[in-house]
C-alpha cells in the first residue's frame, strides 16, 4: 500500500436539499475510502449532515441493485431474476414502440421522476429529450414546491430569487416560517446561529414544535394552513400603527393603499386570532418587532405551502418585506429558493421543441387518478420511473398502489435500491450513485455552480440515467446527435445567461465550485425594481385577477379545514402534518437502516388532550385513518403539538412498517390553489388505539 495512489476528488451531494454540499472523496486503488464536507466551500464549510456523512456505506451497500432484473412474481411481490442489459433495453424499446404504434399512441407512456439526484444531467437532460422525442405524455413535477413558487412569483415577479443566504449573519430578526431549518437546511441554520451570536432573534412559526422551533428564541404555534391570515394580521398592525416604510412602498410597490384597506378592514386581530389560533397580543408583538428590526429575513420553506391555500399563503407572506423595506438590506427580505439565480440553458438541455405540439401533461400528484384511467386522454399503459419512489412518496397511496398492480401496465424502474416502487416493476434497471457518474449542480439554497467528478467506476453493472437513455434512443433508432455524451451536455447547459458568463467546464473541473456572477453585495430587490409586469412588488396583482384569483392577499382555508368543514371534522377531527424525518431524505435512507428501529417504527405526535380523549398513552400503537386509507404509528406525547393537530414524521418505506402502508395512505390527491401543488399537510384523520401491530399478526 502506498499513499501515492490516493487521489482527492471533488463531488457534490446529490440530495434534494437546499444545501447542495461540496464533498471531497479520497480514492485509493479505485475505491472511495473517505468522504467529507468540502472545507473550501463557503456554504458547506467542511461539515456534512448525518445522512451524507455515511454515504459511502450507501455506495458500497450490499443492498445495491447491481444487475438488470425482470419480474418473475406477481406485481408488488418484488420477485425477479437477472436479465442482460441488452435484453432489458430491447424489451423496453419494443414495448414503447408497440404502444406508440397502437391507436392510443405514445401518450400512453408516462415518465415519472423527481429529484433523487439534483444533478442537472442526471435529473433533466436526456430523459426529457428521450420522452419528448418519443411523444410520451409530459409530467408536471408539482410534488414539492410549485404552489409556493407560483405564489411568490405573483408578488415578486420571480418564484426563485431571494436574499443571499451567506448574508444571513447580518440579520437582526430571522423568521423560520414553515421551515424546519435545523434539519432541512442545516448549513443555513449554522449561519442563523452566527447571527444570533451577534444579537439576532430567531422566531419560528409552525404548527409543530420542530427541532427548529425548540431551538428558536420565540416559537409561535399556528393552526395548519392559516399563515396568510397571520400575515394579514401583521399587516393590519403595521398599517394601523403607521409602522410601514412609506418611501419604499411608494417607490417599489403597487397597491399599497388597497392592501392597507384590506388588512385593516377585513383582518382585525380577533378574526385572525380565531383563524390561526394565535392570540392577538402575540400577533401585535410579532408585527411590531418585524417592523422595527433590520435587517430582517423571512425564511420561507416549502412546509407551509402543502395546503389547499398554500399558493396564496406564500403570495401573502411575500408582501411583508416590502411593507417594512426589508429588501433594502443585504441578507434582508425573504428567501424561498435561490435557484432562479442559475441561468442555465435548460431549453438546450431538455429540448421541449422535440415534444409534439398538443402533447398532454399529467400532474404527478394525480398519479393515482392517472393510473386508474380517470384523466382525460389515452390510458397510461407504460410507466418509466427514475429518481423517484412514488409507491412511498405520492399522495393517496392506496389508489397509486391499485394502479401499479394493474397487470396491463408495463412498468420500468431505474433505481439504486429495492424501494417500494421497485416491487411493482416489470423491469428493474440498476442506477449509479453520485460517485459513479458526472454531473453539474446548481442549488436552491446558495449561489455556487458545482461540478461532480466521477470518483469510482460504476458498481456491478450499474448505469447512469443518461447512459440508459442513450441506449434506449439507439434501440429506437433516434438520431445520435440528440443524445450526445455528458461533456457535450454540460457545455450546452453552461451556455446560459450573464450570471454564468465565464463559468466553463474547464474551470469547474479545476475549481469544483464557482460563485455565480452576482455582486459581492447581492441584494436582489434593494433598488426596488422587480421582474413583475409593473416592475414593482405587486401587492395588488392584475395578473392574479386575470388568472381568477383575488388580486389582493387573502386567506384561503385548507381543503380539509375543521372550521369551515365541521361535518368532515366530526368524523376526522385531527389535522395531520407529515414533514420529513431528519434521518431520511424523503424516502431515501428509509430502507438503508433496514434493521433499525426508526425505519420500522412510524410515530405520531399528539396533544395530551387528544390522546386522553382516545384513551392512548405515550408508546401505545394507534391506527390513523380517514376515508382514503390508514396506517399504524406509535404515539409520542411530548408537548410538540396543540390540540387538534398531529405530526407523523415521514417518509417510511411501506414494506418496512407494520400494516405495509405509510402516512401517504391517508394523504390526498387534491391540488393546492396554484400551479397544481401537492397538499400533503392538508389532511384530516381520526386515531384509535390498537394492539401492537408488530406482534399481532391478525392486524396485517
Ligand atoms: N433531513 C431532511 N432534509 C430535507 C428533506 C428531508 O426529507 N430530510 N427534504 C428536502 C426537501 S425535498 C424539501 S422540499 C425541503 C423541505 O424543507 P421544509 O419546508 O423545511 O420541510 P418540512 O419539514 O416539510 O416543513 C417545514 C415545517 O413546516 C411546518 N408546517 C406544516 N404545515 C404548516 C403550516 O400550515 N404553516 C406553517 N407555518 N408551517 C407548517 C412543518 O410542521 C415543518 O416543521 O427539505 C429538504 N431537506
Ligand atoms: N407525506 C409526505 N409525502 C411527501 C412529502 C412530505 O413531506 N410528506 N414530501 C414531498 C416532497 S417535498 C418531495 S420532494 C417528494 C420526494 O419524493 P422522491 O423524489 O421520490 O424522493 P425520494 O424518496 O428521496 O426518492 C428518490 C429516489 O431516487 C433514487 N435515486 C437517487 N439517485 C438516482 C439516480 O441517479 N438515478 C436513478 N434512477 N435513481 C436515483 C433514490 O435511490 C430514491 O429511491 O416527496 C413528497 N412526499
Ligand atoms: Mo421537496
Amino acid at each position: 500500500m502506498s499513499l501515492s495512489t490516493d487521489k482527492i476528488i471533488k463531488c457534490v451531494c446529490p440530495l434534494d436539499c437546499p444545501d447542495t454540499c461540496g464533498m471531497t472523496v479520497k480514492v485509493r486503488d479505485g475505491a472511495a475510502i473517505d468522504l467529507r464536507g468540502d472545507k473550501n466551500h463557503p456554504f458547506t464549510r467542511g461539515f456534512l449532515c448525518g445522512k451524507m456523512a455515511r454515504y459511502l456505506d450507501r455506495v458500497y451497500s450490499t443492498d445495491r441493485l447491481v444487475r438488470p432484473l425482470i419480474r418473475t412474481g406477481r406485481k408488488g411481490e418484488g420477485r425477479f431474476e437477472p436479465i442482460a442489459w441488452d435484453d432489458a433495453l430491447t424489451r423496453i424499446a419494443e414495448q414503447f414502440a408497440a404502444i406508440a404504434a397502437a391507436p392510443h399512441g405514445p401518450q400512453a407512456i408516462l415518465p415519472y421522476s423527481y429529484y433523487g439526484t439534483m444533478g442537472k444531467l442526471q435529473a433533466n437532460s436526456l430523459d426529457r429529450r428521450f420522452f419528448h422525442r418519443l411523444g410520451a405524455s409530459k409530467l408536471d413535477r408539482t410534488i414539492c414546491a410549485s404552489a409556493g413558487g407560483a405564489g411568490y412569483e405573483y408578488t415578486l415577479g420571480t418564484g426563485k430569487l431571494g436574499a443571499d443566504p451567506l448574508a444571513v449573519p447580518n440579520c437582526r430578526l430571522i423568521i423560520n416560517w414553515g421551515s424546519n431549518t435545523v434539519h432541512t437546511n442545516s448549513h443555513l441554520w449554522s449561519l442563523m446561529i452566527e447571527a444570533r451570536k451577534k444579537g439576532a432573534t430567531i422566531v419560528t412559526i409552525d404548527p409543530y414544535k420542530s427541532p427548529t422551533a425548540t431551538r428558536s428564541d420565540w416559537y409561535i404555534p399556528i393552526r395548519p394552513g392559516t399563515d396568510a391570515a397571520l400575515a394579514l394580521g401583521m399587516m393590519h398592525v403595521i398599517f394601523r400603527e403607521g409602522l410601514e416604510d412609506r418611501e419604499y412602498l411608494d417607490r417599489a410597490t403597487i397597491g399599497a393603499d388597497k392592501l392597507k384597506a384590506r388588512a385593516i378592514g377585513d383582518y382585525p386581530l380577533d378574526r385572525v386570532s380565531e383563524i390561526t389560533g394565535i392570540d392577538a397580543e402575540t400577533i401585535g408583538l410579532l408585527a411590531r418587532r418585524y417592523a422595527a428590526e433590520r435587517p430582517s429575513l423571512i425564511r420561507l420553506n416549502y412546509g407551509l405551502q402543502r395546503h389547499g391555500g398554500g399558493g396564496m399563503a406564500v403570495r401573502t407572506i411575500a408582501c411583508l418585506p416590502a411593507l417594512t423595506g426589508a429588501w433594502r438590506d443585504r441578507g434582508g427580505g425573504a428567501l424561498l429558493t435561490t435557484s432562479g439565480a442559475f441561468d442555465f440553458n435548460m431549453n438546450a438541455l431538455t429540448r421541449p421543441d422535440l415534444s409534439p405540439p398538443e402533447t398532454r401533461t399529467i400532474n404527478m400528484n394525480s398519479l393515482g387518478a392517472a393510473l386508474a384511467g380517470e384523466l382525460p386522454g389515452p390510458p397510461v399503459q407504460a410507466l418509466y420511473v427514475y429518481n423517484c419512489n412514488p409507491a412511498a412518496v405520492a399522495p393517496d397511496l392506496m389508489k397509486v398502489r391499485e394502479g401499479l398492480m394493474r397487470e396491463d401496465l408495463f412498468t420500468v424502474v431505474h433505481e439504486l435500491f429495492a424501494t417500494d416502487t421497485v416491487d411493482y416493476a416489470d423491469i428493474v434497471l440498476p442506477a449509479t450513485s453520485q460517485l459513479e457518474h458526472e454531473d453539474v449542480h446548481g442549488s436552491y439554497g446558495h449561489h455556487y455552480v458545482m461540478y461532480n467528478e466521477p470518483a469510482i467506476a460504476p458498481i456491478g453493472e450499474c448505469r447512469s440515467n443518461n447512459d440508459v437513455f442513450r441506449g434506449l434512443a439507439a434501440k429506437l433508432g433516434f438520431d445520435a446527435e440528440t443524445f450526445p455524451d455528458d461533456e457535450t451536455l454540460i457545455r450546452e447547459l453552461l451556455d446560459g445567461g450573464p450570471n454564468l458568463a465565464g463559468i466553463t467546464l474547464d474551470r469547474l473541473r479545476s475549481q469544483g465550485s464557482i460563485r455565480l456572477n452576482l455582486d459581492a453585495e447581492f441584494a436582489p430587490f434593494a433598488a426596488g425594481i422587480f421582474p413583475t409586469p409593473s416592475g414593482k412588488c405587486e401587492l395588488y396583482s392584475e395578473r392574479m385577477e386575470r388568472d381568477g384569483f383575488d388580486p389582493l392577499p387573502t386567506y384561503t382555508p385548507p381543503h380539509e379545514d375543521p372550521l369551515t368543514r365541521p361535518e368532515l371534522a366530526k368524523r376526522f377531527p385531527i389535522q395531520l402534518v407529515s414533514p420529513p424525518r431528519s434521518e431520511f431524505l424523503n424516502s431515501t435512507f428509509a430502507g438503508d437502516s433496514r434493521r433499525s428501529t426508526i425505519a420500522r417504527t412510524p410515530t405520531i405526535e399528539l396533544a395530551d388532550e387528544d390522546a386522553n380523549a382516545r384513551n392512548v398513552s405515550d408508546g401505545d400503537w394507534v391506527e390513523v385513518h380517514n376515508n382514503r386509507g390508514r396506517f399504524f404509528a406509535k404515539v409520542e406525547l411530548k408537548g410538540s403539538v396543540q390540540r387538534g393537530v398531529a405530526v407523523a414524521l415521514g417518509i417510511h418505506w411501506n414494506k418496512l412498517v407494520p400494516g405495509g402502508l405509510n402516512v401517504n395512505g391517508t394523504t390526498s390527491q387534491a391540488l393546492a390553489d396554484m400551479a397544481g401543488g401537492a397538499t400533503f399537510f392538508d389532511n384530516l384523520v381520526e386515531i384509535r388505539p390498537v394492539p401492537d401491530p408488530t406482534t399481532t399478526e391478525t392486524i396485517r
Side-chain angles (χ1 to χ4, degrees):
M1 186 196 79
S2 93
L3 283 179
S4 63
T5 61
D6 286 359
K7 272 192 302 186
I8 302 288
I9 293 189
K10 287 201 173 201
C11 293
V12 184
C13 172
L15 297 180
D16 183 353
C17 165
D19 296 28
T20 320
C21 289
M23 312 191 294
T24 55
V25 183
K26 188 189 280 183
V27 178
R28 180 178 299 165
D29 301 328
I33 55 169
D34 183 66
L35 173 143
R36 52 191 64 200
D38 185 347
K39 288 198 291 291
N40 298 318
H41 190 287
F43 198 70
T44 308
R45 302 195 295 177
F47 82 88
L48 293 178
C49 68
K51 303 177 293 299
M52 283 308 284
R54 292 188 299 274
Y55 188 61
L56 291 185
D57 294 347
R58 193 168 159 81
V59 170
Y60 290 111
S61 166
T62 51
D63 291 342
R64 277 282 294 273
L65 297 167
V66 291
R67 323 171 55 169
L69 304 170
I70 186 161
R71 177 163 69 91
T72 55
R74 277 178 298 129
K75 295 233 175 184
E77 258 183 6
R79 282 201 290 131
F80 302 97
E81 64 184 28
I83 175 177
W85 262 108
D86 194 59
D87 283 353
L89 295 180
T90 301
R91 279 170 196 261
I92 298 167
E94 281 175 2
Q95 281 281 353
F96 283 1
I99 292 171
H104 291 302
Q107 293 193 64
I109 301 165
L110 179 66
Y112 199 91
S113 77
Y114 206 63
Y115 289 105
T117 168
M118 291 293 293
K120 292 291 160 194
L121 266 58
Q122 306 303 338
N124 24 231
S125 65
L126 295 188
D127 58 323
R128 304 295 206 277
R129 292 186 187 189
F130 176 79
F131 290 109
H132 290 159
R133 172 70 183 74
L134 184 61
S137 287
K138 293 189 275 194
L139 185 74
D140 202 2
R141 291 173 171 81
T142 48
I143 205 163
C144 172
S146 52
Y152 194 91
E153 202 269 340
Y154 275 128
T155 301
L156 303 171
T158 162
K160 301 185 171 177
L161 280 184
D164 186 345
L166 285 180
V168 165
N170 296 342
C171 292
R172 299 283 307 168
L173 181 71
I174 296 167
I175 302 180
N176 291 290
W177 201 323
S179 178
N180 186 8
T181 313
V182 167
H183 286 318
T184 61
N185 192 186
S186 56
H187 295 76
L188 185 67
W189 177 253
S190 75
L191 297 174
M192 290 182 179
I193 295 295
E194 266 181 44
R196 174 148 75 188
K197 285 191 186 132
K198 298 197 284 173
T201 300
I202 303 178
V203 184
T204 293
I205 301 170
D206 196 313
Y208 172 45
K209 194 165 183 192
S210 67
T212 307
T214 309
R215 289 176 219 187
S216 295
D217 303 296
W218 188 7
Y219 167 51
I220 302 177
I222 186 168
R223 208 166 64 79
T226 65
D227 302 271
L230 174 59
L232 280 154
M234 290 170 70
M235 293 176 196
H236 177 98
V237 175
I238 290 171
F239 280 125
R240 197 188 56 201
E241 299 183 7
L243 306 176
E244 71 270 29
D245 181 337
R246 245 314 129 191
E247 199 278 331
Y248 193 87
L249 275 181
D250 289 345
R251 172 164 58 90
T253 72
I254 54 168
D257 291 341
K258 290 193 178 104
L259 178 58
K260 180 175 176 178
R262 163 71 56 95
I264 291 189
D266 295 355
Y267 290 89
L269 296 194
D270 53 347
R271 175 173 182 225
V272 172
S273 185
E274 194 186 309
I275 296 172
T276 59
I278 304 170
D279 60 78
E281 192 189 343
T282 301
I283 301 166
L285 281 174
L286 177 65
R288 283 177 215 114
R289 192 74 194 270
Y290 181 66
E293 296 276 8
R294 295 225 348 230
S296 72
L297 174 72
I298 298 177
R299 170 50 171 161
L300 283 155
N301 212 332
Y302 293 108
L304 87 137
Q305 49 95 64
R306 307 194 202 293
H307 293 277
M312 188 59 91
V314 172
R315 180 273 191 279
T316 301
I317 295 166
C319 293
L320 276 169
L323 263 68
T324 62
W327 289 116
R328 292 175 190 267
D329 305 314
R330 181 160 154 73
L335 173 62
L336 180 64
T337 159
T338 57
S339 63
F342 295 84
D343 41 11
F344 291 122
N345 194 341
M346 293 309 290
N347 273 351
L349 202 64
T350 60
R351 296 288 307 276
D353 57 294
L354 293 171
S355 179
E358 315 289 318
T359 299
R360 74 164 163 189
T361 299
I362 290 181
N363 185 323
M364 71 187 295
N365 294 318
S366 312
L367 180 62
L371 295 179
E374 292 166 8
L375 302 183
V380 177
Q381 295 171 323
L383 182 71
Y384 186 108
V385 182
Y386 57 105
N387 290 345
C388 196
N389 185 14
V393 308
D396 200 1
L397 278 189
M398 299 282 275
K399 186 92 184 187
V400 170
R401 220 182 239 192
E402 236 168 75
L404 292 172
M405 289 293 287
R406 272 174 44 202
E407 273 304 324
D408 64 334
L409 179 72
F410 175 68
T411 302
V412 179
V413 182
H414 190 190
E415 248 301 345
L416 287 94
F417 291 93
T419 61
D420 287 322
T421 310
V422 163
D423 288 348
Y424 297 89
D426 293 284
I427 300 214
V428 182
L429 305 173
T432 41
S433 77
Q434 182 78 344
L435 301 196
E436 299 152 52
H437 56 232
E438 186 174 23
D439 222 323
V440 167
H441 288 247
S443 167
Y444 63 100
H446 60 65
H447 289 134
Y448 289 79
V449 185
M450 296 162 74
Y451 177 69
N452 183 71
E453 182 180 346
I456 59 173
I459 304 280
E461 297 178 24
C462 292
R463 291 190 189 173
S464 73
N465 295 348
N466 274 357
D467 281 343
V468 173
F469 290 112
R470 275 185 284 263
L472 287 172
K475 291 270 179 208
L476 284 164
F478 296 167
D479 55 317
E481 307 90 83
T482 311
F483 297 90
D485 59 25
D486 288 344
E487 186 167 323
T488 305
L489 292 170
I490 294 175
R491 293 187 200 283
E492 292 175 358
L493 171 77
L494 294 175
D495 183 15
N499 291 350
L500 287 168
I503 300 180
T504 60
L505 176 56
D506 297 335
R507 276 186 68 208
L508 282 170
R509 279 189 172 149
S510 66
Q511 287 166 250
S513 57
I514 302 179
R515 187 169 184 267
L516 291 167
N517 300 312
L518 300 171
D519 279 0
E521 293 300 302
F522 176 73
F525 310 123
I529 298 163
F530 292 82
T532 53
S534 64
K536 302 193 173 197
C537 173
E538 300 200 340
L539 307 178
Y540 181 95
S541 162
E542 283 177 8
R543 267 191 312 158
M544 291 184 74
E545 190 162 36
R546 277 200 301 275
D547 293 348
F549 295 105
D550 190 328
L552 282 172
T554 187
Y555 163 61
T556 313
H559 295 312
E560 303 191 3
D561 176 27
L563 292 187
T564 53
R565 300 194 56 196
E567 284 310 311
L568 185 66
K570 221 179 267 167
R571 291 167 62 207
F572 308 118
I574 307 249
Q575 291 185 277
L576 178 63
V577 174
S578 52
R581 193 173 279 275
S582 68
E583 296 88 347
F584 306 160
L585 193 296
N586 299 319
S587 78
T588 299
F589 301 101
D592 282 13
S593 34
R594 203 166 274 259
R595 281 150 220 96
S596 93
T597 346
I598 295 172
R600 294 183 178 278
T601 317
T603 54
I604 188 158
E605 299 174 44
L606 294 173
D608 289 350
E609 301 93 310
D610 288 322
N612 291 339
R614 290 161 184 79
N615 224 351
V616 297
S617 318
D618 192 81
D620 285 354
W621 281 87
V622 289
E623 182 205 72
V624 184
H625 66 274
N626 58 20
N627 48 1
R628 290 176 287 267
R630 58 116 172 86
F631 66 96
F632 297 111
K634 203 170 184 172
V635 171
E636 290 188 341
L637 301 179
K638 43 188 192 190
S640 56
V641 287
Q642 297 195 308
R643 187 177 194 160
V645 177
V647 167
L649 298 180
I651 307 171
H652 290 265
W653 279 16
N654 297 298
K655 58 174 128 185
L656 297 183
V657 301
L661 201 58
N662 71 22
V663 64
N664 281 324
T666 58
T667 55
S668 157
Q669 289 182 71
L671 302 178
D673 52 347
M674 291 179 196
T679 59
F680 288 105
F681 302 167
D682 188 337
N683 182 22
L684 283 176
V685 299
E686 178 53 299
I687 288 157
R688 69 175 181 98
V690 290
D692 181 348
T694 59
T695 56
T696 40
E697 272 310 308
T698 45
I699 207 119
R700 283 161 188 262

